[in-house]
């Protein structure tokens, strides 16, 4: 560190930085225009040091998004050096082969100036309803990432010159998307969030000095690295292997296997995804940044507690190797829109490997699936786009049952309230929303339940686009526990039931009823050892089928 801090100042500044990142998140989703950000909270925020190392990130929002902030920042800074930035400048990028995830996730970095020099960066990323491309919301037919939307390479612009007052960048993006008022409004909310973060950091600099705040940032990163290394050192040295698979690529029935080898030596860990299947021609590939984020999120969750923030320090203790040309690190221009399914299977494979090293802390896999459920409608020249990210059941552990119908561990998204959907959209309505009895895997501790939701289409010309997983391969149990239920989706039309694949694009008719059900988590332990009181409670709550 550049100077020695007393423990009180370090604690106060550290918590202030974390608080600022959380406040940024609140500002982002409360000022957002789209339901996916405003209600689903599919966004994240953070504060970086002057070199672009992640220091503090909002722990209420999306782990998969914040885990790669530094990767995207470095791509921007390599093209437009930090020392050339001036007041009002910002970096922006959504390029999946330059640190971003998929084109719908736009990342913005705003330099924080104090007394004429940069003391850090505030960052905000949000998932946008539509970013152009070959189809509204989700282009299930894409064969390269250019067809998935407007590509924003690592770039530098100025807020007053290029964005405000319908500046050229704002005008350009708005001309290339189907729902400009929502997408541009959500980008505005990202700038608002970054302004909050910048204000809080400047306040800290005024109170403690920029040098002290910088030293506190450096120590926060070092603290996380020490804690993660200590947790790794407590594990038995060895080589641990985990495997899982994505159901298919959306075109064939061939599973997409993911394999990881975790090597623990002293206080360091190497995570190697050699043996993972090659990239595919559909949107199921996960870019490198997503794989890194998923891996670090799993290691952070399994090895440390809530008192350890998620920042650059976690990555310094872990080496992640991902073969080029694989499902988890494809070569451009492979499409990556639905990268979350492969990212989740990477998470689950690492979770299984860590469970071998720490059997007392092993957790069964959950449904661990992002369901991108998209309904779109074009009427009178205006597109309406609804995207919802569905829930699923968590896996059980040796300490208790899995949680019911919640977002997966890489997501944290909330469900969109039915009342809000009714207020925003008139071309469909929700007719049913409930837990799925019996969908959690049986065990001494049961897996969490999935849920079902039904959508009645009220206009002709509506399209359903969906990407999901675990329609074929359920979340497995541990220590004798049973597997959770698989998910499914179907269209009920004129007495017939039309199966919808986990990756599909379906034209709909007025009167159709779409039923989507998410799966449950795996159980833990022998079902015969389940506490009779817990069995009774499950029956009383209606959690048991039959």
């Amino acid at each position: 560190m550049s100077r020695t801090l007393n423990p009180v100042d370090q604690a106060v500044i550290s918590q202030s930085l974390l608080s600022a990142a959380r406040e940024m998140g609140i500002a982002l989703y409360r000022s957002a225009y789209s339901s996916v950000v405003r209600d689903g909270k599919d966004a994240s925020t953070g504060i970086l040091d002057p070199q672009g190392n992640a220091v503090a990130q909002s722990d209420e929002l999306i782990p998969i998004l914040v885990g790669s902030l530094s990767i995207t920042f470095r791509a921007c800074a390599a093209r437009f050096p930090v020392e050339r930035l001036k007041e009002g400048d910002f970096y922006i990028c959504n390029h999946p082969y330059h640190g971003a995830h998929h084109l719908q996730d736009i990342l913005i970095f705003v330099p924080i100036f104090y007394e004429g020099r940069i003391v850090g960066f505030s960052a905000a990323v949000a998932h946008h309803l539509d970013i152009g491309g070959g189809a509204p919301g989700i282009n299930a037919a894409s064969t390269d990432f250019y067809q998935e939307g407007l590509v924003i390479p690592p770039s530098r612009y100025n807020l007053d010159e290029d964005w405000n007052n319908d500046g050229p960048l704002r005008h350009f993006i708005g001309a290339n998307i189907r729902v400009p008022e929502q997408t541009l409004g959500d980008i505005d909310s990202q700038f608002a969030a970054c302004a909050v973060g910048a204000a809080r950091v400047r306040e800290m600099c005024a109170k403690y000095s920029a040098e002290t705040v910088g030293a506190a940032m450096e120590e926060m990163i070092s603290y996380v690295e020490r804690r993660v290394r200590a947790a790794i050192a407590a594990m038995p040295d060895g080589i641990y292997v985990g495997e899982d698979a994505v159901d298919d690529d959306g075109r064939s029935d061939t599973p997409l296997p993911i394999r990881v080898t975790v090597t623990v030596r002293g206080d360091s860990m190497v995570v190697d995804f050699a043996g993972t299947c090659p990239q595919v021609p559909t949107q199921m590939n996960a870019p490198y940044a997503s794989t890194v984020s998923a891996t670090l999120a799993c290691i952070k969750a399994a090895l440390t507690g809530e008192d350890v923030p998620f920042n650059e320090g976690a990555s310094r203790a872990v080496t992640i190797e991902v073969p080029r040309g694989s499902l988890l690190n494809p070569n451009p221009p492979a499409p990556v829109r639905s990268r979350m399914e492969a990212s989740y299977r990477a998470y689950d494979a690492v979770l299984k490997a860590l469970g071998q090293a720490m059997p007392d802390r092993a957790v069964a896999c959950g449904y661990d699936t992002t369901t991108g459920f998209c309904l779109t409608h074009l009427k009178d020249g205006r597109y309406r786009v609804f995207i919802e990210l569905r829930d699923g059941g968590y896996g059980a552990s040796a300490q208790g049952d899995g949680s019911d119908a919640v977002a997966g561990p890489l997501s944290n998204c909330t469900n969109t309230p039915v009342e809000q959907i009714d207020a925003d959209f008139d071309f469909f309505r929700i007719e049913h929303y409930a837990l799925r009895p019996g969908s959690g895997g049986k065990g001494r501790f049961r897996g969490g339940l999935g849920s079902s939701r039904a959508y009645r289409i009220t206009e002709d010309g509506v399209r359903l686009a969906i990407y999901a997983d675990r329609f074929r391969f359920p979340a497995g149990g541990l220590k004798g526990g049973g597997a959770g239920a698989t998910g499914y989706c179907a269209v009920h039309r004129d007495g017939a039931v039309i199966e919808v694949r986990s990756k599909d694009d379906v034209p709909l008719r007025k009167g159709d009823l779409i039923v989507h059900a998410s799966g449950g988590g795996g159980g833990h332990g022998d079902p015969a050892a389940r506490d009779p009181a817990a069995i009774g409670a499950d029956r009383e709550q209606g959690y048991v089928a039959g």
Side-chain angles (χ1 to χ4, degrees):
M1 296 195 321
S2 58
R3 56 169 290 179
T4 301
L5 288 179
N6 68 65
V8 174
D9 282 350
Q10 178 64 50
V12 170
I13 297 172
S14 297
Q15 291 304 310
S16 296
L17 289 166
L18 289 168
S19 177
R22 296 179 186 122
E23 185 183 355
M24 290 172 65
I26 293 170
L28 198 163
Y29 66 73
R30 286 190 175 177
S31 61
Y33 282 57
S34 72
S35 60
V36 74
V37 178
R38 183 189 63 231
D39 302 304
K41 301 180 182 178
D42 193 352
S44 282
T45 52
I47 293 172
L48 287 66
D49 70 11
Q51 292 75 45
N53 300 304
V55 175
Q57 303 178 96
S58 175
D59 50 16
E60 297 177 346
L61 298 179
I62 315 299
I64 191 70
L65 296 183
V66 298
S68 63
L69 288 180
S70 298
I71 299 175
T72 314
F73 177 91
R74 285 192 285 269
C76 295
R79 186 169 178 83
F80 303 97
V82 170
E83 57 269 20
R84 298 181 186 175
L85 297 178
K86 63 180 186 294
E87 291 270 11
D89 283 355
F90 62 90
Y91 291 141
I92 185 171
C93 179
N94 73 343
H95 200 307
Y97 294 99
H98 288 281
H101 295 266
H102 58 188
L103 299 180
Q104 288 68 28
D105 292 333
I106 297 177
L107 295 98
I108 291 172
F109 304 88
V110 174
I112 305 171
F113 283 87
Y114 181 75
E115 294 182 344
R117 66 186 178 93
I118 293 175
V119 295
F121 287 81
S122 53
V125 52
H127 178 103
H128 295 276
L129 279 180
D130 184 82
I131 196 67
I138 299 173
N139 182 11
S142 60
T143 57
D144 60 45
F145 79 98
Y146 300 107
Q147 301 171 49
E148 296 181 317
L150 178 68
V151 180
I152 305 173
S155 306
R156 177 200 61 199
Y157 291 98
N158 185 272
L159 195 61
D160 287 333
E161 296 171 5
D162 301 306
W163 187 261
N164 292 340
N165 301 313
D166 199 29
L169 177 62
R170 183 187 185 96
H171 188 67
F172 175 75
I173 293 176
N176 282 276
I177 53 182
R178 297 174 179 86
V179 287
E181 68 282 355
Q182 291 179 304
T183 298
L184 297 177
D186 285 352
I187 295 175
D188 283 338
S189 75
Q190 291 179 249
F191 282 119
C194 288
V196 169
R200 297 296 172 263
V201 171
R202 283 193 290 267
E203 289 169 4
M204 290 178 232
C205 290
K207 184 173 183 179
Y208 298 100
S209 83
E211 291 73 18
T212 300
V213 172
M217 288 181 174
E218 185 178 342
E219 173 55 23
M220 282 184 71
I221 294 172
S222 298
Y223 170 76
V224 172
E225 180 180 359
R226 291 195 302 271
R227 288 292 301 272
V228 173
R229 286 192 181 278
I232 294 172
M235 300 169 62
D237 283 359
I239 299 174
Y240 308 96
V241 177
E243 296 182 349
D244 215 309
V246 177
D247 282 352
D248 53 66
D249 67 359
R251 293 184 182 175
S252 72
D253 291 332
T254 304
L256 309 178
I258 289 175
R259 178 183 172 89
V260 68
T261 301
V262 176
T263 303
V264 177
R265 290 286 183 271
D267 67 351
S268 64
M269 176 184 291
V270 177
V271 180
D272 187 354
F273 286 97
T276 293
C277 70
Q279 67 187 67
V280 295
T282 65
Q283 58 179 336
M284 304 312 297
N285 303 288
Y288 176 75
S290 294
T291 302
V292 169
S293 295
T295 302
L296 292 176
C298 184
I299 291 170
K300 165 68 175 65
L303 268 61
T304 67
E306 295 180 0
D307 61 322
V308 181
F310 191 2
N311 69 23
E312 195 76 16
S315 64
R316 293 179 178 177
V318 181
T319 299
I320 301 172
E321 299 174 352
V322 193
R324 288 298 303 266
S326 70
L327 186 71
L328 299 177
N329 188 12
N331 291 311
V336 295
R337 172 64 174 86
S338 304
R339 96 290 185 196
M340 282 298 291
E341 313 310 345
S343 299
Y344 264 121
R345 295 304 152 257
Y347 180 100
D348 287 342
V350 174
L351 185 68
K352 291 175 180 179
L354 295 178
Q356 298 169 26
M358 305 179 298
D360 57 324
R361 298 185 63 181
V363 179
C365 291
Y367 185 58
D368 296 351
T369 293
T370 288
T371 299
F373 185 93
C374 181
L375 296 172
T376 60
H377 188 227
L378 175 61
K379 184 177 181 180
D380 299 328
R382 180 180 178 228
Y383 275 101
R384 303 292 300 281
V385 179
F386 168 76
I387 292 180
E388 184 173 36
L389 304 177
R390 292 295 314 286
D391 54 54
Y394 261 46
S397 69
Q399 286 74 46
D401 296 342
S403 298
D404 302 320
V406 291
L410 294 177
S411 173
N412 261 4
C413 291
T414 61
N415 64 340
T416 306
V418 173
E419 297 83 358
Q420 190 62 56
I421 293 172
D422 284 344
D424 287 347
F425 300 95
D426 58 5
F427 61 91
F428 71 95
R429 64 174 181 266
I430 306 295
E431 291 195 353
H432 165 89
Y433 187 29
L435 293 175
R436 288 181 66 193
S439 56
K442 295 180 179 179
R444 178 173 178 238
F445 295 106
R446 66 165 177 81
L449 305 181
S451 72
S452 61
R453 199 160 183 166
Y455 310 75
R456 179 72 68 181
I457 304 304
T458 59
E459 299 273 359
D460 285 322
V462 178
R463 294 193 70 86
L464 164 66
I466 184 174
Y467 68 86
D469 204 47
R470 291 215 189 279
F471 278 28
R472 298 173 61 200
F473 304 123
L478 278 181
K479 303 290 185 181
T486 54
Y488 69 86
C489 186
V491 176
H492 295 252
R493 176 184 297 164
D494 299 330
V497 179
I498 304 168
E499 179 184 355
V500 177
R501 296 172 300 163
S502 59
K503 298 87 180 170
D504 215 340
D505 190 318
V506 182
L508 302 171
R509 302 177 187 171
K510 182 178 180 179
D512 285 352
L513 184 71
I514 310 165
V515 178
H516 174 263
S518 61
H524 190 289
D526 184 358
R530 187 161 177 78
D531 186 344
I535 295 174
D538 284 345
R539 288 175 177 162
E540 183 178 349
Q541 295 292 329
Y543 293 164
V544 180

